[in-house]
Coordinates of all heavy atoms in Angstrom, one line a residue:
M164 N -1.3 -16.4 -2.0 CA -1.7 -15.4 -2.9 C -1.0 -14.0 -2.7 O 0.0 -13.8 -3.4 CB -3.3 -15.2 -2.7 CG -4.1 -16.4 -2.9 SD -4.1 -17.1 -4.6 CE -5.3 -15.9 -5.4
G165 N -1.4 -13.2 -1.8 CA -0.7 -12.0 -1.6 C -1.0 -11.0 -2.8 O -1.8 -11.3 -3.7
M166 N -0.2 -9.9 -2.8 CA -0.4 -8.9 -3.8 C 0.1 -9.3 -5.1 O -0.3 -8.7 -6.2 CB 0.2 -7.6 -3.4 CG -0.5 -7.1 -2.1 SD -2.2 -6.9 -2.1 CE -2.4 -5.5 -3.2
C167 N 1.1 -10.2 -5.2 CA 1.6 -10.6 -6.5 C 0.5 -11.4 -7.3 O 0.5 -11.2 -8.6 CB 2.8 -11.5 -6.3 SG 3.8 -11.7 -7.8
K168 N -0.2 -12.2 -6.7 CA -1.2 -12.9 -7.3 C -2.6 -12.6 -6.5 O -3.1 -13.5 -5.7 CB -1.0 -14.4 -7.4 CG 0.2 -14.8 -8.3 CD 0.5 -16.2 -8.4 CE 1.7 -16.4 -9.3 NZ 2.0 -17.9 -9.4
P169 N -3.2 -11.5 -6.8 CA -4.4 -11.1 -5.9 C -5.5 -12.1 -6.1 O -5.6 -12.8 -7.2 CB -4.6 -9.7 -6.4 CG -4.0 -9.6 -7.7 CD -2.8 -10.5 -7.7
S170 N -6.4 -12.1 -5.2 CA -7.4 -13.1 -5.1 C -8.4 -13.0 -6.3 O -9.0 -13.9 -6.8 CB -8.2 -13.0 -3.8 OG -8.8 -11.7 -3.7
G171 N -8.6 -11.7 -6.9 CA -9.4 -11.6 -8.0 C -8.8 -11.9 -9.3 O -9.5 -11.8 -10.3
G172 N -7.5 -12.2 -9.2 CA -6.8 -12.6 -10.6 C -6.1 -11.5 -11.2 O -6.0 -10.3 -10.7
I173 N -5.5 -11.8 -12.3 CA -4.7 -10.9 -13.1 C -5.3 -10.8 -14.5 O -5.6 -11.8 -15.2 CB -3.2 -11.4 -13.2 CG1 -2.6 -11.5 -11.7 CG2 -2.4 -10.5 -14.1 CD1 -1.3 -12.3 -11.6
D174 N -5.5 -9.6 -15.0 CA -5.9 -9.3 -16.3 C -4.9 -8.6 -17.1 O -4.0 -8.0 -16.6 CB -7.3 -8.5 -16.4 CG -8.4 -9.3 -15.8 OD1 -8.6 -10.5 -16.2 OD2 -9.2 -8.8 -15.0
K175 N -5.0 -8.6 -18.4 CA -4.1 -8.0 -19.3 C -4.9 -7.2 -20.3 O -5.9 -7.6 -20.9 CB -3.4 -9.1 -20.1 CG -2.4 -8.7 -21.1 CD -1.8 -10.0 -21.7 CE -0.9 -9.7 -22.9 NZ -0.2 -10.9 -23.4
I176 N -4.4 -5.9 -20.6 CA -4.9 -5.1 -21.6 C -3.8 -4.5 -22.5 O -2.7 -4.5 -22.0 CB -5.8 -3.9 -21.0 CG1 -5.0 -3.1 -20.1 CG2 -7.0 -4.5 -20.3 CD1 -5.7 -1.7 -19.6
I177 N -4.2 -4.1 -23.6 CA -3.2 -3.4 -24.5 C -3.6 -2.0 -24.6 O -4.8 -1.6 -24.8 CB -3.3 -4.2 -25.8 CG1 -2.7 -5.5 -25.7 CG2 -2.4 -3.4 -26.9 CD1 -2.8 -6.4 -26.9
G178 N -2.6 -1.1 -24.5 CA -2.9 0.3 -24.6 C -1.6 1.1 -24.5 O -0.5 0.5 -24.7
R179 N -1.7 2.4 -24.2 CA -0.6 3.2 -24.1 C -0.3 3.5 -22.6 O -1.2 3.3 -21.8 CB -0.9 4.6 -24.8 CG -1.1 4.4 -26.3 CD -1.6 5.8 -26.9 NE -0.7 6.8 -26.7 CZ -0.8 8.1 -27.1 NH1 -1.9 8.4 -27.8 NH2 0.1 9.0 -26.9
V180 N 0.9 4.0 -22.4 CA 1.3 4.4 -21.0 C 0.2 5.4 -20.5 O -0.2 6.3 -21.2 CB 2.6 5.0 -20.9 CG1 2.9 5.7 -19.6 CG2 3.7 4.0 -21.3
G181 N -0.3 5.1 -19.3 CA -1.2 6.0 -18.7 C -2.7 5.6 -18.9 O -3.6 6.2 -18.3
S182 N -2.9 4.5 -19.7 CA -4.2 4.1 -19.9 C -4.8 3.0 -19.0 O -5.9 2.6 -19.2 CB -4.4 3.7 -21.4 OG -3.6 2.5 -21.6
L183 N -4.1 2.7 -17.9 CA -4.7 1.9 -16.9 C -5.9 2.6 -16.4 O -5.7 3.7 -15.9 CB -3.7 1.6 -15.8 CG -2.6 0.5 -16.1 CD1 -1.7 0.4 -14.8 CD2 -3.3 -0.9 -16.3
P184 N -7.0 1.9 -16.2 CA -8.1 2.6 -15.5 C -7.8 2.8 -14.1 O -7.1 2.0 -13.4 CB -9.3 1.6 -15.8 CG -8.6 0.3 -16.0 CD -7.2 0.6 -16.6
R185 N -8.4 3.9 -13.5 CA -8.3 4.2 -12.1 C -9.3 3.2 -11.2 O -9.0 3.1 -10.1 CB -8.7 5.6 -11.8 CG -7.8 6.5 -12.5 CD -6.7 7.2 -11.7 NE -7.3 8.0 -10.6 CZ -6.6 8.4 -9.6 NH1 -5.3 8.0 -9.4 NH2 -7.1 9.2 -8.7
I186 N -10.3 2.7 -11.9 CA -11.2 1.7 -11.3 C -11.2 0.5 -12.1 O -11.4 0.5 -13.3 CB -12.6 2.3 -11.2 CG1 -12.7 3.7 -10.5 CG2 -13.6 1.4 -10.4 CD1 -12.6 3.8 -9.0
W187 N -11.1 -0.7 -11.4 CA -11.2 -1.9 -12.2 C -11.9 -3.0 -11.2 O -12.4 -2.6 -10.2 CB -9.8 -2.3 -12.5 CG -9.7 -3.5 -13.4 CD1 -9.1 -4.7 -13.2 CD2 -10.0 -3.5 -14.9 NE1 -9.1 -5.5 -14.3 CE2 -9.7 -4.8 -15.3 CE3 -10.6 -2.6 -15.7 CZ2 -10.0 -5.2 -16.7 CZ3 -10.8 -3.0 -17.0 CH2 -10.6 -4.3 -17.5
L188 N -11.7 -4.1 -11.5 CA -12.3 -5.2 -10.7 C -11.6 -5.3 -9.3 O -10.4 -5.2 -9.3 CB -12.3 -6.6 -11.4 CG -13.0 -6.6 -12.8 CD1 -12.6 -7.9 -13.5 CD2 -14.5 -6.5 -12.6
P189 N -12.4 -5.5 -8.3 CA -11.8 -5.6 -7.0 C -10.7 -6.6 -6.8 O -10.9 -7.8 -7.3 CB -13.1 -5.8 -6.1 CG -14.2 -5.3 -6.8 CD -13.9 -5.6 -8.3
N190 N -9.7 -6.3 -6.1 CA -8.7 -7.3 -5.7 C -8.0 -8.0 -6.9 O -7.9 -9.2 -6.9 CB -9.3 -8.3 -4.7 CG -9.8 -7.7 -3.4 OD1 -9.2 -6.9 -2.8 ND2 -11.0 -8.1 -3.1
T191 N -7.7 -7.1 -7.9 CA -7.1 -7.7 -9.0 C -5.7 -6.9 -9.3 O -5.5 -5.9 -8.7 CB -8.0 -7.5 -10.3 OG1 -8.3 -6.2 -10.5 CG2 -9.2 -8.3 -10.2
R192 N -5.0 -7.5 -10.2 CA -3.9 -6.8 -10.9 C -4.1 -6.7 -12.4 O -4.7 -7.6 -12.9 CB -2.6 -7.6 -10.6 CG -1.3 -6.9 -11.0 CD -0.2 -7.8 -10.7 NE 0.2 -8.3 -12.0 CZ 1.1 -9.4 -12.1 NH1 1.4 -10.1 -11.1 NH2 1.4 -9.9 -13.3
L193 N -3.9 -5.6 -12.9 CA -4.0 -5.4 -14.4 C -2.7 -5.0 -15.0 O -2.0 -4.1 -14.6 CB -5.1 -4.3 -14.6 CG -5.6 -4.0 -16.0 CD1 -6.1 -5.3 -16.6 CD2 -6.5 -2.9 -16.0
D194 N -2.3 -5.7 -15.9 CA -1.0 -5.5 -16.7 C -1.3 -4.9 -18.0 O -2.0 -5.5 -18.9 CB -0.3 -6.9 -16.9 CG 0.2 -7.5 -15.5 OD1 0.0 -6.8 -14.5 OD2 0.6 -8.7 -15.6
L195 N -0.6 -3.8 -18.3 CA -0.9 -3.0 -19.5 C 0.4 -3.2 -20.5 O 1.5 -3.0 -20.0 CB -1.0 -1.5 -19.1 CG -0.9 -0.6 -20.3 CD1 -2.2 -0.7 -21.1 CD2 -0.7 0.9 -19.8
Y196 N 0.1 -3.8 -21.6 CA 1.1 -3.9 -22.6 C 0.9 -3.0 -23.8 O -0.3 -2.7 -24.1 CB 1.0 -5.4 -23.2 CG 1.4 -6.5 -22.1 CD1 0.6 -7.0 -21.1 CD2 2.7 -6.9 -22.2 CE1 1.0 -7.9 -20.2 CE2 3.2 -7.9 -21.3 CZ 2.3 -8.4 -20.4 OH 2.7 -9.3 -19.5
D197 N 1.9 -2.8 -24.6 CA 1.7 -2.1 -25.8 C 1.4 -3.1 -26.9 O 1.3 -4.3 -26.6 CB 3.0 -1.3 -26.1 CG 4.2 -2.1 -26.5 OD1 4.1 -3.4 -26.6 OD2 5.4 -1.6 -26.5
G198 N 1.3 -2.6 -28.0 CA 0.8 -3.6 -29.1 C 1.7 -4.6 -29.6 O 1.4 -5.5 -30.4
I199 N 3.0 -4.5 -29.2 CA 4.0 -5.5 -29.6 C 4.5 -6.3 -28.4 O 5.6 -6.9 -28.5 CB 5.2 -4.9 -30.3 CG1 5.9 -3.8 -29.6 CG2 4.7 -4.3 -31.7 CD1 7.1 -3.2 -30.2
G200 N 3.7 -6.3 -27.3 CA 4.0 -7.2 -26.2 C 5.0 -6.7 -25.2 O 5.4 -7.5 -24.3
N201 N 5.3 -5.5 -25.2 CA 6.1 -4.9 -24.1 C 5.2 -4.6 -22.9 O 4.3 -3.8 -23.0 CB 6.9 -3.6 -24.6 CG 7.8 -4.0 -25.6 OD1 8.7 -4.9 -25.6 ND2 7.7 -3.3 -26.8
L202 N 5.6 -5.0 -21.7 CA 5.0 -4.6 -20.5 C 5.2 -3.1 -20.2 O 6.3 -2.7 -20.1 CB 5.4 -5.5 -19.3 CG 4.7 -5.2 -18.0 CD1 3.2 -5.3 -18.1 CD2 5.3 -6.1 -16.9
L203 N 4.2 -2.4 -20.1 CA 4.3 -0.9 -19.8 C 4.1 -0.5 -18.3 O 4.8 0.2 -17.8 CB 3.4 -0.1 -20.7 CG 3.4 -0.3 -22.2 CD1 2.3 0.5 -22.9 CD2 4.9 0.2 -22.6
Q204 N 3.0 -1.0 -17.8 CA 2.6 -0.6 -16.4 C 1.8 -1.8 -15.9 O 1.0 -2.5 -16.6 CB 1.7 0.7 -16.4 CG 2.5 1.9 -16.8 CD 1.5 3.1 -16.6 OE1 0.6 3.3 -17.4 NE2 1.9 4.0 -15.7
Q205 N 1.8 -1.8 -14.5 CA 0.9 -2.7 -13.8 C 0.2 -1.9 -12.8 O 0.7 -1.0 -12.2 CB 1.7 -3.8 -13.1 CG 2.4 -4.8 -14.1 CD 3.3 -5.7 -13.3 OE1 4.3 -5.3 -12.7 NE2 3.1 -7.0 -13.4
G206 N -1.1 -2.3 -12.5 CA -1.8 -1.6 -11.5 C -2.5 -2.6 -10.6 O -2.9 -3.7 -11.1
W207 N -2.5 -2.3 -9.3 CA -3.2 -3.2 -8.4 C -4.4 -2.5 -7.8 O -4.3 -1.3 -7.6 CB -2.3 -3.4 -7.1 CG -1.3 -4.5 -7.4 CD1 -1.3 -5.8 -6.9 CD2 0.1 -4.4 -8.1 NE1 -0.2 -6.5 -7.4 CE2 0.7 -5.7 -8.0 CE3 0.7 -3.4 -8.7 CZ2 1.9 -5.9 -8.6 CZ3 1.9 -3.6 -9.3 CH2 2.6 -4.9 -9.2
Y208 N -5.5 -3.2 -7.7 CA -6.8 -2.7 -7.3 C -7.3 -3.2 -6.0 O -7.1 -4.5 -5.7 CB -7.8 -3.0 -8.4 CG -7.4 -2.3 -9.7 CD1 -6.5 -2.9 -10.6 CD2 -7.8 -1.0 -10.1 CE1 -6.1 -2.3 -11.7 CE2 -7.5 -0.4 -11.2 CZ -6.6 -1.0 -12.0 OH -6.1 -0.3 -13.2
G209 N -7.8 -2.4 -5.2 CA -8.2 -2.8 -3.8 C -9.6 -3.3 -3.8 O -10.2 -3.5 -4.8
P210 N -10.1 -3.6 -2.6 CA -11.4 -4.3 -2.4 C -12.6 -3.4 -3.0 O -13.6 -4.0 -3.3 CB -11.5 -4.3 -0.9 CG -10.2 -4.2 -0.3 CD -9.4 -3.4 -1.3
D211 N -12.4 -2.1 -3.1 CA -13.5 -1.2 -3.7 C -13.2 -1.0 -5.1 O -13.9 -0.3 -5.8 CB -13.5 0.1 -2.9 CG -12.2 0.8 -2.9 OD1 -11.2 0.3 -3.5 OD2 -12.1 1.9 -2.3
G212 N -12.2 -1.7 -5.7 CA -12.0 -1.5 -7.1 C -11.1 -0.3 -7.5 O -10.8 -0.1 -8.6
K213 N -10.8 0.5 -6.5 CA -9.9 1.7 -6.7 C -8.4 1.2 -6.8 O -8.0 0.4 -6.1 CB -10.1 2.7 -5.7 CG -11.5 3.4 -5.7 CD -11.8 4.1 -4.4 CE -11.2 5.6 -4.5 NZ -11.6 6.3 -3.3
I214 N -7.7 1.9 -7.8 CA -6.3 1.5 -7.9 C -5.5 1.9 -6.7 O -5.8 3.0 -6.1 CB -5.7 2.1 -9.2 CG1 -4.4 1.4 -9.5 CG2 -5.6 3.6 -9.1 CD1 -3.9 1.6 -10.9
I215 N -4.7 1.1 -6.2 CA -3.9 1.3 -5.0 C -2.4 1.4 -5.2 O -1.6 1.8 -4.3 CB -4.2 0.3 -3.8 CG1 -3.9 -1.1 -4.3 CG2 -5.6 0.4 -3.4 CD1 -4.1 -2.1 -3.2
W216 N -1.9 0.9 -6.4 CA -0.5 0.8 -6.5 C -0.2 0.7 -8.0 O -0.9 0.1 -8.7 CB 0.1 -0.5 -5.9 CG 1.5 -0.4 -5.6 CD1 2.5 -1.0 -6.3 CD2 2.2 0.3 -4.5 NE1 3.8 -0.7 -5.7 CE2 3.5 0.0 -4.6 CE3 1.7 1.0 -3.4 CZ2 4.5 0.6 -3.6 CZ3 2.6 1.6 -2.5 CH2 3.9 1.4 -2.6
Y217 N 0.9 1.3 -8.4 CA 1.4 1.3 -9.8 C 2.8 0.7 -9.8 O 3.6 1.2 -9.0 CB 1.5 2.7 -10.5 CG 0.1 3.3 -10.9 CD1 -0.4 4.2 -10.0 CD2 -0.5 3.0 -12.1 CE1 -1.6 4.9 -10.4 CE2 -1.6 3.6 -12.4 CZ -2.2 4.5 -11.6 OH -3.3 5.2 -11.9
R218 N 3.1 -0.1 -10.8 CA 4.5 -0.4 -11.2 C 4.7 0.0 -12.6 O 4.0 -0.5 -13.5 CB 4.8 -1.9 -10.9 CG 6.3 -2.3 -11.3 CD 6.8 -3.5 -10.5 NE 6.7 -3.3 -9.1 CZ 6.6 -4.2 -8.2 NH1 6.5 -5.5 -8.6 NH2 6.6 -4.0 -6.9
D219 N 5.7 0.9 -12.8 CA 5.9 1.4 -14.2 C 7.2 0.7 -14.7 O 8.2 0.6 -14.1 CB 6.1 2.9 -14.1 CG 4.9 3.7 -13.7 OD1 3.8 3.1 -13.7 OD2 5.0 4.9 -13.5
W220 N 7.0 0.2 -15.9 CA 8.1 -0.4 -16.7 C 8.6 0.4 -17.8 O 9.7 0.1 -18.4 CB 7.7 -1.8 -17.2 CG 7.4 -2.8 -16.1 CD1 6.1 -2.8 -15.4 CD2 8.2 -3.8 -15.6 NE1 6.2 -3.9 -14.5 CE2 7.4 -4.4 -14.5 CE3 9.5 -4.2 -15.8 CZ2 8.0 -5.5 -13.8 CZ3 10.0 -5.2 -15.0 CH2 9.3 -5.9 -14.1
S221 N 7.9 1.5 -18.1 CA 8.2 2.3 -19.3 C 7.3 3.6 -19.3 O 6.2 3.4 -19.2 CB 8.1 1.6 -20.6 OG 8.4 2.3 -21.6
H222 N 8.0 4.7 -19.3 CA 7.2 5.9 -19.6 C 8.2 7.0 -19.8 O 9.4 6.9 -19.6 CB 6.2 6.3 -18.5 CG 6.7 6.6 -17.1 ND1 7.6 7.5 -16.9 CD2 6.5 5.9 -16.0 CE1 7.9 7.6 -15.6 NE2 7.2 6.6 -15.0
G223 N 7.8 8.2 -20.4 CA 8.6 9.3 -20.6 C 8.9 10.1 -19.4 O 8.6 9.7 -18.3
G224 N 9.6 11.2 -19.6 CA 9.7 12.1 -18.5 C 11.0 12.1 -17.8 O 11.1 12.2 -16.6
G225 N 12.1 11.9 -18.6 CA 13.4 11.9 -17.9 C 13.9 10.6 -17.5 O 13.3 9.5 -17.7
Y226 N 15.1 10.5 -16.8 CA 15.7 9.4 -16.3 C 14.9 8.7 -15.2 O 14.4 9.3 -14.3 CB 17.1 9.6 -15.9 CG 17.7 8.3 -15.4 CD1 18.3 7.4 -16.3 CD2 17.7 8.0 -14.0 CE1 18.7 6.3 -15.8 CE2 18.3 6.8 -13.6 CZ 18.8 5.9 -14.4 OH 19.3 4.8 -14.0
H227 N 14.7 7.4 -15.3 CA 14.1 6.6 -14.3 C 14.7 5.2 -14.1 O 15.3 4.7 -15.1 CB 12.6 6.3 -14.5 CG 11.8 7.6 -14.6 ND1 11.4 8.2 -13.5 CD2 11.2 8.3 -15.6 CE1 10.7 9.3 -13.8 NE2 10.6 9.3 -15.1
D228 N 14.7 4.7 -13.0 CA 15.1 3.3 -12.9 C 13.9 2.5 -13.2 O 12.7 2.8 -12.8 CB 15.5 3.0 -11.4 CG 16.9 3.6 -11.1 OD1 17.7 3.6 -11.9 OD2 17.0 4.0 -9.9
W229 N 14.1 1.3 -13.9 CA 12.9 0.5 -14.2 C 13.1 -0.9 -13.6 O 14.2 -1.4 -13.7 CB 12.9 0.3 -15.8 CG 12.8 1.6 -16.5 CD1 13.8 2.2 -17.3 CD2 11.7 2.6 -16.5 NE1 13.4 3.4 -17.7 CE2 12.1 3.6 -17.3 CE3 10.4 2.5 -16.0 CZ2 11.3 4.7 -17.6 CZ3 9.6 3.6 -16.2 CH2 10.0 4.7 -17.0
P230 N 12.0 -1.5 -13.2 CA 10.7 -0.8 -12.9 C 10.8 0.0 -11.6 O 11.7 -0.1 -10.9 CB 9.8 -2.0 -12.7 CG 10.6 -3.0 -12.1 CD 12.0 -2.9 -12.6
H231 N 9.8 0.9 -11.5 CA 9.7 1.6 -10.2 C 8.2 1.7 -9.9 O 7.4 1.5 -10.7 CB 10.4 3.0 -10.3 CG 9.7 3.8 -11.3 ND1 10.3 4.2 -12.5 CD2 8.5 4.5 -11.4 CE1 9.5 5.0 -13.2 NE2 8.4 5.2 -12.5
D232 N 7.9 1.9 -8.6 CA 6.6 1.9 -8.1 C 6.1 3.4 -7.7 O 6.9 4.2 -7.4 CB 6.4 1.1 -6.8 CG 6.6 -0.5 -7.1 OD1 6.7 -0.8 -8.4 OD2 6.5 -1.2 -6.2
H233 N 4.8 3.5 -7.8 CA 4.1 4.7 -7.3 C 3.0 4.4 -6.4 O 2.3 3.4 -6.6 CB 3.5 5.5 -8.6 CG 4.4 6.0 -9.5 ND1 4.9 7.3 -9.5 CD2 5.0 5.5 -10.6 CE1 5.7 7.6 -10.5 NE2 5.8 6.4 -11.2
Y234 N 3.0 5.2 -5.3 CA 1.8 5.1 -4.4 C 0.7 5.7 -5.2 O 0.9 6.3 -6.3 CB 1.9 6.0 -3.2 CG 2.9 5.7 -2.2 CD1 4.2 6.3 -2.3 CD2 2.7 4.8 -1.2 CE1 5.2 6.0 -1.3 CE2 3.7 4.4 -0.3 CZ 4.9 5.1 -0.4 OH 5.8 4.8 0.6
V235 N -0.6 5.5 -4.7 CA -1.8 6.2 -5.3 C -2.4 7.1 -4.3 O -2.5 6.6 -3.1 CB -2.8 5.2 -5.8 CG1 -4.0 6.0 -6.3 CG2 -2.3 4.4 -6.9
N236 N -2.4 8.4 -4.6 CA -2.8 9.4 -3.7 C -4.3 9.9 -4.1 O -4.3 10.9 -4.9 CB -1.9 10.5 -3.7 CG -2.0 11.4 -2.4 OD1 -3.0 11.3 -1.7 ND2 -0.9 12.1 -2.2
W237 N -5.3 9.2 -3.7 CA -6.6 9.5 -4.2 C -7.0 10.9 -3.7 O -7.9 11.6 -4.2 CB -7.6 8.5 -3.8 CG -7.6 7.3 -4.7 CD1 -6.9 6.2 -4.6 CD2 -8.4 7.1 -5.8 NE1 -7.2 5.3 -5.7 CE2 -8.1 5.8 -6.4 CE3 -9.4 7.9 -6.4 CZ2 -8.7 5.4 -7.5 CZ3 -10.1 7.4 -7.6 CH2 -9.7 6.1 -8.1
D238 N -6.5 11.3 -2.6 CA -6.9 12.6 -1.9 C -6.2 13.8 -2.4 O -6.5 15.0 -2.0 CB -6.7 12.5 -0.4 CG -7.6 11.4 0.2 OD1 -8.7 11.1 -0.4 OD2 -7.2 10.7 1.2
N239 N -5.2 13.6 -3.3 CA -4.4 14.8 -3.7 C -4.3 14.7 -5.2 O -3.3 14.2 -5.8 CB -3.1 14.8 -3.1 CG -2.3 16.1 -3.5 OD1 -2.8 16.8 -4.3 ND2 -1.1 16.3 -2.8
P240 N -5.3 15.2 -6.0 CA -5.3 15.2 -7.4 C -4.0 15.9 -8.1 O -3.7 15.6 -9.2 CB -6.5 15.8 -7.9 CG -7.2 16.4 -6.7 CD -6.5 15.9 -5.5
K241 N -3.4 16.8 -7.3 CA -2.2 17.5 -7.9 C -0.9 16.5 -7.8 O 0.0 16.8 -8.5 CB -1.9 18.8 -7.1 CG -2.9 19.9 -7.3 CD -2.6 21.1 -6.5 CE -3.6 22.2 -6.7 NZ -3.4 23.3 -5.9
N242 N -1.0 15.5 -7.0 CA 0.1 14.7 -6.9 C -0.4 13.2 -6.7 O -0.3 12.6 -5.6 CB 1.1 14.9 -5.7 CG 2.3 14.1 -5.8 OD1 2.7 13.5 -6.8 ND2 3.0 14.1 -4.6
P243 N -1.1 12.7 -7.8 CA -1.8 11.5 -7.6 C -0.9 10.2 -7.5 O -1.4 9.2 -7.1 CB -2.7 11.4 -8.8 CG -2.1 12.2 -9.8 CD -1.3 13.3 -9.1
R244 N 0.3 10.3 -8.0 CA 1.2 9.2 -8.0 C 2.6 9.4 -7.5 O 3.6 9.5 -8.2 CB 1.3 8.6 -9.5 CG 0.0 8.3 -10.2 CD 0.1 7.5 -11.5 NE 1.4 7.8 -12.1 CZ 2.2 6.8 -12.6 NH1 1.9 5.5 -12.6 NH2 3.3 7.1 -13.2
P245 N 2.7 9.6 -6.2 CA 3.9 9.9 -5.6 C 4.9 8.7 -5.8 O 4.4 7.5 -5.8 CB 3.7 10.1 -4.1 CG 2.2 10.3 -4.0 CD 1.6 9.6 -5.2
P246 N 6.2 8.9 -6.1 CA 7.1 7.7 -6.2 C 7.2 7.0 -4.9 O 7.3 7.6 -3.8 CB 8.3 8.4 -6.7 CG 8.3 9.9 -6.3 CD 6.9 10.2 -6.3
Y247 N 7.4 5.7 -5.0 CA 7.7 4.8 -3.9 C 9.2 4.8 -3.7 O 10.0 4.6 -4.7 CB 7.2 3.5 -4.0 CG 7.7 2.5 -3.1 CD1 7.1 2.4 -1.8 CD2 8.7 1.6 -3.3 CE1 7.6 1.5 -0.8 CE2 9.2 0.7 -2.4 CZ 8.6 0.7 -1.1 OH 9.1 -0.3 -0.2
I248 N 9.7 5.0 -2.5 CA 11.1 4.7 -2.1 C 11.1 3.9 -0.8 O 10.5 4.4 0.2 CB 11.9 6.0 -1.9 CG1 11.9 6.8 -3.2 CG2 13.3 5.7 -1.5 CD1 12.5 8.2 -3.2
G249 N 11.6 2.7 -0.9 CA 11.6 1.8 0.3 C 12.6 2.3 1.3 O 13.4 3.2 1.1
P250 N 12.6 1.6 2.5 CA 13.5 1.9 3.6 C 14.9 1.9 3.2 O 15.7 2.5 3.9 CB 13.1 0.9 4.6 CG 12.2 -0.1 3.9 CD 11.7 0.5 2.7
N251 N 15.3 1.1 2.2 CA 16.7 0.9 1.8 C 17.0 1.5 0.5 O 17.9 1.1 -0.3 CB 17.2 -0.5 1.9 CG 17.1 -1.1 3.3 OD1 17.6 -0.5 4.3 ND2 16.4 -2.1 3.5
G252 N 16.0 2.4 0.0 CA 16.1 3.1 -1.3 C 15.6 2.3 -2.4 O 15.8 2.7 -3.6
E253 N 14.9 1.2 -2.1 CA 14.3 0.4 -3.2 C 13.3 1.3 -4.0 O 12.6 2.1 -3.5 CB 13.6 -0.8 -2.7 CG 14.4 -1.7 -1.7 CD 14.3 -1.3 -0.3 OE1 14.0 -0.2 0.1 OE2 14.3 -2.2 0.5
K254 N 13.3 0.9 -5.3 CA 12.3 1.6 -6.1 C 11.0 0.8 -6.4 O 10.0 1.3 -6.9 CB 12.9 1.9 -7.5 CG 14.1 2.8 -7.4 CD 13.8 4.2 -7.0 CE 14.9 5.1 -6.7 NZ 15.9 5.3 -7.8
T255 N 11.1 -0.5 -5.9 CA 9.9 -1.3 -6.0 C 9.6 -1.9 -4.6 O 10.5 -2.1 -3.8 CB 10.0 -2.5 -7.0 OG1 11.1 -3.2 -6.7 CG2 10.1 -1.9 -8.5
N256 N 8.3 -2.2 -4.3 CA 7.9 -2.7 -3.1 C 7.7 -4.2 -3.2 O 6.8 -4.6 -4.0 CB 6.6 -2.0 -2.6 CG 6.1 -2.4 -1.4 OD1 6.5 -3.5 -0.8 ND2 5.2 -1.6 -0.8
S257 N 8.5 -5.0 -2.6 CA 8.4 -6.4 -2.8 C 7.1 -7.0 -2.2 O 6.7 -8.2 -2.5 CB 9.6 -7.2 -2.2 OG 9.7 -6.9 -0.8
D258 N 6.4 -6.2 -1.4 CA 5.1 -6.7 -1.0 C 4.1 -6.9 -2.1 O 3.2 -7.7 -2.0 CB 4.4 -5.6 0.0 CG 5.1 -5.6 1.3 OD1 5.9 -6.5 1.6 OD2 4.8 -4.7 2.0
F259 N 4.4 -6.2 -3.2 CA 3.4 -6.3 -4.3 C 3.9 -7.4 -5.3 O 3.0 -7.9 -6.1 CB 3.3 -4.9 -5.1 CG 2.3 -4.1 -4.3 CD1 2.8 -3.3 -3.2 CD2 1.0 -4.0 -4.6 CE1 1.9 -2.5 -2.4 CE2 0.1 -3.2 -3.8 CZ 0.5 -2.5 -2.9
C260 N 5.1 -7.7 -5.3 CA 5.4 -8.9 -6.2 C 7.0 -9.1 -6.1 O 7.8 -8.2 -6.0 CB 5.1 -8.6 -7.7 SG 4.4 -10.1 -8.5
Ligands
ZN286 ZN1 6.6 6.1 -13.1

C-alpha cells in the first residue's frame, strides 16, 4: 500500500487549484481535477484526516517544475505549504508515489 495507495483509498474531486480541503477522510489521497480532466493537485491525508502532503501539477505564480511537492505546515499559517526539496534536489518525494 504505502502512501501511493493509502489504506483509506483514493478519491477524485473536480474544482479549481487550491480547492483541496485541508481536512478529508483519514489515510486517503484526494486527486483534484479541473472540469476537462486535467490533474491539478493531489493531497494526502493523515490518520486524523488533516492534510499532510501536496503534489502540485498546475498552478500560477511564476516558473515551477511540474509536478512538485509541498510539505504541510499546520503550525505556521504564514507559510502553510513550504516547498519540498529532496536530498538530491528532487522536487517530488518518491515516498508518496
Ligand atoms: Zn506548488
Side-chain angles (χ1 to χ4, degrees):
M164 298 295 276
M166 297 307 289
C167 194
K168 294 181 178 174
S170 59
I173 299 169
D174 289 316
K175 176 179 173 177
I176 59 170
I177 294 173
R179 299 173 58 180
V180 170
S182 60
L183 279 177
R185 299 260 293 164
I186 307 277
W187 190 250
L188 299 171
N190 301 309
T191 57
R192 191 183 98 203
L193 187 57
D194 294 349
L195 172 69
Y196 287 85
D197 68 12
I199 56 173
N201 297 307
L202 180 60
L203 301 177
Q204 290 182 297
Q205 296 171 294
W207 279 260
Y208 297 84
D211 57 1
K213 293 166 82 171
I214 195 161
I215 57 172
W216 201 259
Y217 286 98
R218 180 158 298 155
D219 291 350
W220 295 83
S221 177
H222 62 61
Y226 177 79
H227 296 284
D228 291 322
W229 306 108
H231 63 250
D232 289 1
H233 292 265
Y234 296 97
V235 178
N236 198 345
W237 279 88
D238 297 327
N239 184 355
K241 290 181 179 170
N242 187 19
R244 300 193 335 132
Y247 169 78
I248 300 175
N251 300 303
E253 306 94 326
K254 300 292 173 57
T255 58
N256 183 346
S257 59
D258 288 350
F259 280 82
C260 220

